[in-house]
Amino acid sequence: MKKILIVEDQEEIRELIRVTLEFDDYQIDEAPNGDEGLSKVSSFKPDLMLLDVMMPGGLNGLQVCQRVKGDPALKRTKVVLLTARGQEADKQAGIKAGADEYLIKPFSPMELMKVIGKVLR
């Protein structure tokens, strides 16, 4: 069973993602901010992080992504950044941080599942 960690500060979006993923065979954990997400990724060891870029306080998604991708113990963890920022410069910043994919909000459940399927192949 694949493990997915949802790191998103908006509870409604976390719930939408969780409900979408519950139809498939995933083990899901959640974190409401970057600091807690970084803490959970070390213990949960997900196959995939769905990571919001803009979160209040502490670490933002780009910083969390850089730390995860820089940790040899987490090198298998894939990261999909979720953000409302859709400019090319924003995408490049995400790729530079090490993201495997970049999904722009708002996204449909079908779009999310397509990206997850691609990343977890």
Side-chain angles (χ1 to χ4, degrees), residues 80-96:
V80 174
L81 292 176
L82 308 174
T83 184
R85 302 182 76 163
Q87 299 295 319
E88 188 60 32
D90 299 313
K91 290 180 187 178
Q92 291 305 315
I95 291 166
K96 185 177 178 185

Side-chain angles (χ1 to χ4, degrees), residues 2 10-11 20 25 29 33 35-37 39 55 58 60-62 68-69 73 75 81 85-86 91 99 112 116:
K2 298 282 186 181
Q10 295 182 34
E11 188 174 341
T20 300
D25 195 24
D29 200 355
N33 58 56
D35 295 313
E36 193 173 320
S39 175
M55 292 180 280
N60 68 35
L62 295 176
V68 168
K69 292 299 189 171
K75 66 182 178 187
L81 292 176
R85 302 182 76 163
K91 290 180 187 178
L112 175 64
I116 290 171

Side-chain angles (χ1 to χ4, degrees), residues 41-113:
V41 75
S42 297
S43 57
F44 186 58
K45 297 211 182 337
D47 298 288
L48 171 65
M49 282 184 83
L50 298 173
L51 181 58
D52 186 19
V53 172
M54 297 181 295
M55 292 180 280
L59 298 171
N60 68 35
L62 295 176
Q63 293 166 319
V64 173
C65 184
Q66 287 172 325
R67 292 185 186 189
V68 168
K69 292 299 189 171
D71 185 339
L74 300 170
K75 66 182 178 187
R76 289 184 39 245
T77 302
K78 303 290 186 185
V79 177
V80 174
L81 292 176
L82 308 174
T83 184
R85 302 182 76 163
Q87 299 295 319
E88 188 60 32
D90 299 313
K91 290 180 187 178
Q92 291 305 315
I95 291 166
K96 185 177 178 185
D100 297 283
E101 280 291 333
Y102 194 93
L103 190 57
I104 298 168
K105 296 176 187 175
F107 50 82
S108 70
M110 293 292 288
E111 196 176 5
L112 175 64
M113 295 308 292

Side-chain angles (χ1 to χ4, degrees), residues 5-22:
L5 177 61
I6 305 165
V7 183
E8 166 65 60
D9 62 309
Q10 295 182 34
E11 188 174 341
E12 318 80 52
I13 296 176
R14 279 197 321 269
E15 184 176 341
L16 172 69
I17 294 170
R18 185 180 62 253
V19 167
T20 300
L21 296 176
E22 285 175 346

